[in-house]
PDB file of all heavy atoms in Angstrom:
ATOM      1  N   LYS F  32      -6.838  14.618 -17.585  1.00 97.00           N
ATOM      2  CA  LYS F  32      -5.930  14.454 -16.467  1.00 97.00           C
ATOM      3  C   LYS F  32      -4.869  13.492 -16.616  1.00 97.00           C
ATOM      4  O   LYS F  32      -3.768  13.748 -16.131  1.00 97.00           O
ATOM      5  CB  LYS F  32      -6.944  14.005 -15.242  1.00 97.00           C
ATOM      6  CG  LYS F  32      -6.165  13.950 -13.814  1.00 97.00           C
ATOM      7  CD  LYS F  32      -5.723  15.430 -13.531  1.00 97.00           C
ATOM      8  CE  LYS F  32      -5.002  15.381 -12.037  1.00 97.00           C
ATOM      9  NZ  LYS F  32      -4.659  16.815 -11.691  1.00 97.00           N
ATOM     10  N   GLU F  35      -2.316  15.294 -18.681  1.00 97.00           N
ATOM     11  CA  GLU F  35      -1.721  16.273 -17.815  1.00 97.00           C
ATOM     12  C   GLU F  35      -0.592  15.700 -16.960  1.00 97.00           C
ATOM     13  O   GLU F  35       0.389  16.453 -16.777  1.00 97.00           O
ATOM     14  CB  GLU F  35      -2.760  16.999 -16.969  1.00 97.00           C
ATOM     15  CG  GLU F  35      -2.253  18.010 -15.989  1.00 97.00           C
ATOM     16  CD  GLU F  35      -3.258  18.451 -14.910  1.00 97.00           C
ATOM     17  OE1 GLU F  35      -4.407  18.451 -15.345  1.00 97.00           O
ATOM     18  OE2 GLU F  35      -2.988  18.781 -13.800  1.00 97.00           O
ATOM     19  N   ILE F  36      -0.770  14.538 -16.450  1.00 97.00           N
ATOM     20  CA  ILE F  36       0.102  14.025 -15.523  1.00 97.00           C
ATOM     21  C   ILE F  36       1.290  13.238 -16.171  1.00 97.00           C
ATOM     22  O   ILE F  36       2.107  12.648 -15.503  1.00 97.00           O
ATOM     23  CB  ILE F  36      -0.483  13.101 -14.356  1.00 97.00           C
ATOM     24  CG1 ILE F  36      -1.061  11.877 -14.975  1.00 97.00           C
ATOM     25  CG2 ILE F  36      -1.533  14.059 -13.624  1.00 97.00           C
ATOM     26  CD1 ILE F  36      -1.716  11.044 -13.879  1.00 97.00           C
ATOM     27  N   VAL F 234       3.611   2.939 -10.678  1.00 97.00           N
ATOM     28  CA  VAL F 234       4.386   4.168 -10.927  1.00 97.00           C
ATOM     29  C   VAL F 234       5.297   4.437  -9.660  1.00 97.00           C
ATOM     30  O   VAL F 234       6.387   4.733  -9.715  1.00 97.00           O
ATOM     31  CB  VAL F 234       3.492   5.400 -11.174  1.00 97.00           C
ATOM     32  CG1 VAL F 234       4.374   6.710 -11.156  1.00 97.00           C
ATOM     33  CG2 VAL F 234       2.904   5.178 -12.547  1.00 97.00           C
ATOM     34  N   VAL F 235       4.598   4.352  -8.435  1.00 96.00           N
ATOM     35  CA  VAL F 235       5.369   4.683  -7.208  1.00 96.00           C
ATOM     36  C   VAL F 235       6.439   3.521  -6.902  1.00 96.00           C
ATOM     37  O   VAL F 235       7.520   3.745  -6.461  1.00 96.00           O
ATOM     38  CB  VAL F 235       4.438   4.713  -6.016  1.00 96.00           C
ATOM     39  CG1 VAL F 235       5.146   4.816  -4.689  1.00 96.00           C
ATOM     40  CG2 VAL F 235       3.507   5.925  -6.216  1.00 96.00           C
ATOM     41  N   ASN F 238       9.373   4.221  -9.114  1.00 94.00           N
ATOM     42  CA  ASN F 238      10.039   5.394  -8.562  1.00 94.00           C
ATOM     43  C   ASN F 238      10.853   5.001  -7.294  1.00 94.00           C
ATOM     44  O   ASN F 238      11.992   5.581  -7.231  1.00 94.00           O
ATOM     45  CB  ASN F 238       8.988   6.432  -8.199  1.00 94.00           C
ATOM     46  CG  ASN F 238       9.635   7.687  -7.616  1.00 94.00           C
ATOM     47  OD1 ASN F 238       9.712   7.778  -6.381  1.00 94.00           O
ATOM     48  ND2 ASN F 238      10.054   8.580  -8.452  1.00 94.00           N
ATOM     49  N   SER F 247       7.593   9.079 -16.856  1.00 97.00           N
ATOM     50  CA  SER F 247       7.419  10.518 -17.061  1.00 97.00           C
ATOM     51  C   SER F 247       6.191  11.069 -16.255  1.00 97.00           C
ATOM     52  O   SER F 247       5.735  12.185 -16.506  1.00 97.00           O
ATOM     53  CB  SER F 247       7.192  10.818 -18.532  1.00 97.00           C
ATOM     54  OG  SER F 247       8.362  10.402 -19.307  1.00 97.00           O
ATOM     55  N   ILE F 248       5.631  10.224 -15.423  1.00 97.00           N
ATOM     56  CA  ILE F 248       4.480  10.603 -14.640  1.00 97.00           C
ATOM     57  C   ILE F 248       4.758  11.564 -13.510  1.00 97.00           C
ATOM     58  O   ILE F 248       5.634  11.456 -12.816  1.00 97.00           O
ATOM     59  CB  ILE F 248       3.796   9.335 -14.083  1.00 97.00           C
ATOM     60  CG1 ILE F 248       3.520   8.293 -15.159  1.00 97.00           C
ATOM     61  CG2 ILE F 248       2.505   9.675 -13.226  1.00 97.00           C
ATOM     62  CD1 ILE F 248       2.538   8.748 -16.179  1.00 97.00           C
ATOM     63  N   ASP F 249       3.850  12.577 -13.413  1.00 96.00           N
ATOM     64  CA  ASP F 249       3.937  13.554 -12.344  1.00 96.00           C
ATOM     65  C   ASP F 249       3.321  12.881 -11.069  1.00 96.00           C
ATOM     66  O   ASP F 249       2.177  12.737 -10.819  1.00 96.00           O
ATOM     67  CB  ASP F 249       3.229  14.805 -12.605  1.00 96.00           C
ATOM     68  CG  ASP F 249       3.216  15.787 -11.486  1.00 96.00           C
ATOM     69  OD1 ASP F 249       3.783  15.574 -10.414  1.00 96.00           O
ATOM     70  OD2 ASP F 249       2.603  16.886 -11.667  1.00 96.00           O
ATOM     71  N   ILE F 250       4.301  12.283 -10.311  1.00 95.00           N
ATOM     72  CA  ILE F 250       3.927  11.366  -9.230  1.00 95.00           C
ATOM     73  C   ILE F 250       3.107  12.132  -8.089  1.00 95.00           C
ATOM     74  O   ILE F 250       2.239  11.498  -7.334  1.00 95.00           O
ATOM     75  CB  ILE F 250       5.115  10.686  -8.669  1.00 95.00           C
ATOM     76  CG1 ILE F 250       4.872   9.477  -7.734  1.00 95.00           C
ATOM     77  CG2 ILE F 250       5.967  11.691  -7.735  1.00 95.00           C
ATOM     78  CD1 ILE F 250       6.028   8.581  -7.439  1.00 95.00           C
ATOM     79  N   HIS F 251       3.218  13.381  -8.028  1.00 95.00           N
ATOM     80  CA  HIS F 251       2.526  14.201  -6.961  1.00 95.00           C
ATOM     81  C   HIS F 251       0.998  14.280  -7.274  1.00 95.00           C
ATOM     82  O   HIS F 251       0.289  14.654  -6.361  1.00 95.00           O
ATOM     83  CB  HIS F 251       3.082  15.601  -6.956  1.00 95.00           C
ATOM     84  CG  HIS F 251       4.574  15.662  -6.638  1.00 95.00           C
ATOM     85  ND1 HIS F 251       5.050  15.321  -5.346  1.00 95.00           N
ATOM     86  CD2 HIS F 251       5.543  16.090  -7.318  1.00 95.00           C
ATOM     87  CE1 HIS F 251       6.335  15.495  -5.446  1.00 95.00           C
ATOM     88  NE2 HIS F 251       6.721  15.941  -6.507  1.00 95.00           N
ATOM     89  N   GLU F 252       0.562  13.922  -8.530  1.00 95.00           N
ATOM     90  CA  GLU F 252      -0.844  13.982  -8.750  1.00 95.00           C
ATOM     91  C   GLU F 252      -1.490  12.660  -8.785  1.00 95.00           C
ATOM     92  O   GLU F 252      -2.613  12.503  -9.316  1.00 95.00           O
ATOM     93  CB  GLU F 252      -0.976  14.552 -10.256  1.00 95.00           C
ATOM     94  CG  GLU F 252      -0.547  15.956 -10.383  1.00 95.00           C
ATOM     95  CD  GLU F 252      -1.509  16.934  -9.662  1.00 95.00           C
ATOM     96  OE1 GLU F 252      -2.729  16.681  -9.700  1.00 95.00           O
ATOM     97  OE2 GLU F 252      -1.019  17.829  -8.986  1.00 95.00           O
ATOM     98  N   LEU F 253      -0.805  11.573  -8.286  1.00 95.00           N
ATOM     99  CA  LEU F 253      -1.440  10.269  -8.242  1.00 95.00           C
ATOM    100  C   LEU F 253      -2.726  10.157  -7.455  1.00 95.00           C
ATOM    101  O   LEU F 253      -3.731   9.616  -7.816  1.00 95.00           O
ATOM    102  CB  LEU F 253      -0.453   9.300  -7.795  1.00 95.00           C
ATOM    103  CG  LEU F 253       0.668   8.987  -8.691  1.00 95.00           C
ATOM    104  CD1 LEU F 253       1.637   7.946  -8.110  1.00 95.00           C
ATOM    105  CD2 LEU F 253       0.228   8.440 -10.079  1.00 95.00           C
ATOM    106  N   TYR F 254      -2.756  10.849  -6.224  1.00 91.00           N
ATOM    107  CA  TYR F 254      -3.929  10.781  -5.406  1.00 91.00           C
ATOM    108  C   TYR F 254      -5.124  11.582  -6.006  1.00 91.00           C
ATOM    109  O   TYR F 254      -6.206  11.133  -6.058  1.00 91.00           O
ATOM    110  CB  TYR F 254      -3.632  11.440  -4.111  1.00 91.00           C
ATOM    111  CG  TYR F 254      -4.846  11.312  -3.020  1.00 91.00           C
ATOM    112  CD1 TYR F 254      -5.422  10.138  -2.715  1.00 91.00           C
ATOM    113  CD2 TYR F 254      -5.333  12.447  -2.469  1.00 91.00           C
ATOM    114  CE1 TYR F 254      -6.220   9.885  -1.786  1.00 91.00           C
ATOM    115  CE2 TYR F 254      -6.259  12.377  -1.566  1.00 91.00           C
ATOM    116  CZ  TYR F 254      -6.860  11.165  -1.176  1.00 91.00           C
ATOM    117  OH  TYR F 254      -7.847  11.008  -0.302  1.00 91.00           O
ATOM    118  N   SER F 255      -4.726  12.659  -6.729  1.00 93.00           N
ATOM    119  CA  SER F 255      -5.713  13.450  -7.395  1.00 93.00           C
ATOM    120  C   SER F 255      -6.470  12.541  -8.502  1.00 93.00           C
ATOM    121  O   SER F 255      -7.715  12.594  -8.712  1.00 93.00           O
ATOM    122  CB  SER F 255      -5.102  14.681  -8.084  1.00 93.00           C
ATOM    123  OG  SER F 255      -6.081  15.401  -8.810  1.00 93.00           O
ATOM    124  N   ILE F 256      -5.654  11.929  -9.418  1.00 95.00           N
ATOM    125  CA  ILE F 256      -6.286  11.226 -10.447  1.00 95.00           C
ATOM    126  C   ILE F 256      -7.041  10.043  -9.885  1.00 95.00           C
ATOM    127  O   ILE F 256      -8.131   9.555 -10.457  1.00 95.00           O
ATOM    128  CB  ILE F 256      -5.217  10.790 -11.460  1.00 95.00           C
ATOM    129  CG1 ILE F 256      -5.831   9.943 -12.768  1.00 95.00           C
ATOM    130  CG2 ILE F 256      -4.203   9.875 -10.852  1.00 95.00           C
ATOM    131  CD1 ILE F 256      -6.673  10.788 -13.587  1.00 95.00           C
ATOM    132  N   SER F 257      -6.552   9.461  -8.858  1.00 95.00           N
ATOM    133  CA  SER F 257      -7.198   8.186  -8.263  1.00 95.00           C
ATOM    134  C   SER F 257      -8.612   8.686  -7.643  1.00 95.00           C
ATOM    135  O   SER F 257      -9.650   8.024  -8.001  1.00 95.00           O
ATOM    136  CB  SER F 257      -6.422   7.782  -6.983  1.00 95.00           C
ATOM    137  OG  SER F 257      -7.174   6.866  -6.215  1.00 95.00           O
ATOM    138  N   THR F 302       7.122   9.382   1.621  1.00 78.00           N
ATOM    139  CA  THR F 302       6.318  10.418   2.291  1.00 78.00           C
ATOM    140  C   THR F 302       4.950  10.503   1.632  1.00 78.00           C
ATOM    141  O   THR F 302       4.900  10.421   0.463  1.00 78.00           O
ATOM    142  CB  THR F 302       7.119  11.733   2.338  1.00 78.00           C
ATOM    143  OG1 THR F 302       7.244  12.100   0.868  1.00 78.00           O
ATOM    144  CG2 THR F 302       8.508  11.662   2.886  1.00 78.00           C
ATOM    145  N   PRO F 303       3.974  10.768   2.411  1.00 80.00           N
ATOM    146  CA  PRO F 303       2.583  11.005   1.702  1.00 80.00           C
ATOM    147  C   PRO F 303       2.595  12.200   0.735  1.00 80.00           C
ATOM    148  O   PRO F 303       1.899  12.148  -0.301  1.00 80.00           O
ATOM    149  CB  PRO F 303       1.700  11.340   2.942  1.00 80.00           C
ATOM    150  CG  PRO F 303       2.599  11.689   4.060  1.00 80.00           C
ATOM    151  CD  PRO F 303       3.928  10.986   3.867  1.00 80.00           C
ATOM    152  N   GLU F 304       3.481  13.263   1.008  1.00 81.00           N
ATOM    153  CA  GLU F 304       3.473  14.383   0.137  1.00 81.00           C
ATOM    154  C   GLU F 304       3.943  13.977  -1.264  1.00 81.00           C
ATOM    155  O   GLU F 304       3.596  14.595  -2.312  1.00 81.00           O
ATOM    156  CB  GLU F 304       4.422  15.453   0.675  1.00 81.00           C
ATOM    157  CG  GLU F 304       3.844  16.174   1.917  1.00 81.00           C
ATOM    158  CD  GLU F 304       4.076  15.378   3.217  1.00 81.00           C
ATOM    159  OE1 GLU F 304       4.850  14.360   3.209  1.00 81.00           O
ATOM    160  OE2 GLU F 304       3.395  15.682   4.233  1.00 81.00           O
ATOM    161  N   LEU F 305       4.797  12.920  -1.418  1.00 81.00           N
ATOM    162  CA  LEU F 305       5.286  12.444  -2.640  1.00 81.00           C
ATOM    163  C   LEU F 305       4.142  12.140  -3.752  1.00 81.00           C
ATOM    164  O   LEU F 305       4.249  12.296  -4.812  1.00 81.00           O
ATOM    165  CB  LEU F 305       6.094  11.160  -2.519  1.00 81.00           C
ATOM    166  CG  LEU F 305       6.659  10.546  -3.841  1.00 81.00           C
ATOM    167  CD1 LEU F 305       7.670  11.548  -4.387  1.00 81.00           C
ATOM    168  CD2 LEU F 305       7.249   9.163  -3.551  1.00 81.00           C
ATOM    169  N   VAL F 306       2.929  11.619  -3.190  1.00 86.00           N
ATOM    170  CA  VAL F 306       1.792  11.289  -4.044  1.00 86.00           C
ATOM    171  C   VAL F 306       0.590  12.118  -3.798  1.00 86.00           C
ATOM    172  O   VAL F 306      -0.510  11.753  -4.171  1.00 86.00           O
ATOM    173  CB  VAL F 306       1.495   9.851  -3.820  1.00 86.00           C
ATOM    174  CG1 VAL F 306       2.617   8.862  -4.270  1.00 86.00           C
ATOM    175  CG2 VAL F 306       1.180   9.468  -2.333  1.00 86.00           C
ATOM    176  N   GLY F 307       0.886  13.343  -3.229  1.00 86.00           N
ATOM    177  CA  GLY F 307      -0.227  14.251  -3.100  1.00 86.00           C
ATOM    178  C   GLY F 307      -1.086  14.022  -1.817  1.00 86.00           C
ATOM    179  O   GLY F 307      -2.276  14.367  -1.886  1.00 86.00           O
ATOM    180  N   ARG F 308      -0.506  13.329  -0.848  1.00 82.00           N
ATOM    181  CA  ARG F 308      -1.346  12.931   0.327  1.00 82.00           C
ATOM    182  C   ARG F 308      -0.845  13.674   1.560  1.00 82.00           C
ATOM    183  O   ARG F 308       0.155  14.419   1.538  1.00 82.00           O
ATOM    184  CB  ARG F 308      -1.195  11.443   0.582  1.00 82.00           C
ATOM    185  CG  ARG F 308      -1.534  10.472  -0.406  1.00 82.00           C
ATOM    186  CD  ARG F 308      -3.032  10.547  -0.705  1.00 82.00           C
ATOM    187  NE  ARG F 308      -3.859  10.263   0.517  1.00 82.00           N
ATOM    188  CZ  ARG F 308      -4.090   9.083   0.973  1.00 82.00           C
ATOM    189  NH1 ARG F 308      -3.745   7.991   0.337  1.00 82.00           N
ATOM    190  NH2 ARG F 308      -4.818   8.940   2.087  1.00 82.00           N
TER     191      ARG F 308
END
Side-chain angles (χ1 to χ4, degrees):
K32 187 65 177 179
E35 176 191 325
I36 67 176
V234 169
V235 173
N238 176 271
S247 299
I248 302 301
D249 182 356
I250 201 167
H251 303 290
E252 290 294 319
L253 290 180
Y254 186 57
S255 175
I256 184 70
S257 168
T302 63
E304 291 79 13
L305 178 68
V306 293
R308 303 292 307 276

